[in-house]
Amino acid sequence: MGDEHVQSSDTSAPFGDADTPDHDMDQDLQRYCETVAANAAALREELVAAGFGDCTVLGVTKGHPVEVLQAARRAGMHRLGENYAQELIAK
């Protein structure tokens, strides 16, 4: 597969500076949801083009806040993985 899709291991919060008074978490979540959906669609297209169209994409939320999990679910990623049971329970 090529390197065309975006694969991020950045564990920084994708929701800007939540401590500022004018910060809109809903808007950030929507933007992140759109990014996750676009990346997932691009990955699926790559998999189909490479002959792997009949596979399951598993999103990983390791080290990310619960908002990332929410964005992934809104974007259609319903199979998600977590590294530690205590993080999964918290999310």
Side-chain angles (χ1 to χ4, degrees):
M1 288 192 297
D3 293 329
E4 295 83 27
H5 69 276
V6 176
Q7 184 175 6
S8 174
S9 60
D10 181 12
T11 57
S12 62
F15 301 102
D17 185 3
D19 294 330
T20 59
D22 60 343
H23 184 78
D24 186 348
M25 287 292 282
D26 289 334
Q27 191 175 47
D28 285 346
L29 183 59
Q30 180 60 35
R31 272 194 305 258
Y32 199 66
C33 180
E34 291 166 5
T35 300
V36 169
N39 288 346
L43 177 59
R44 286 187 190 103
E45 287 176 19
E46 275 189 51
L47 291 169
V48 168
F52 297 103
D54 193 25
C55 65
T56 300
V57 175
L58 176 69
V60 179
T61 60
K62 174 185 173 185
H64 291 281
V66 69
E67 291 86 3
V68 172
L69 182 137
Q70 292 169 342
R73 299 234 347 127
R74 287 185 188 180
M77 300 284 301
H78 298 287
R79 296 176 186 251
L80 301 169
E82 185 60 60
N83 229 34
Y84 301 103
Q86 61 271 29
E87 286 188 25
L88 177 62
I89 291 168
K91 290 178 182 178

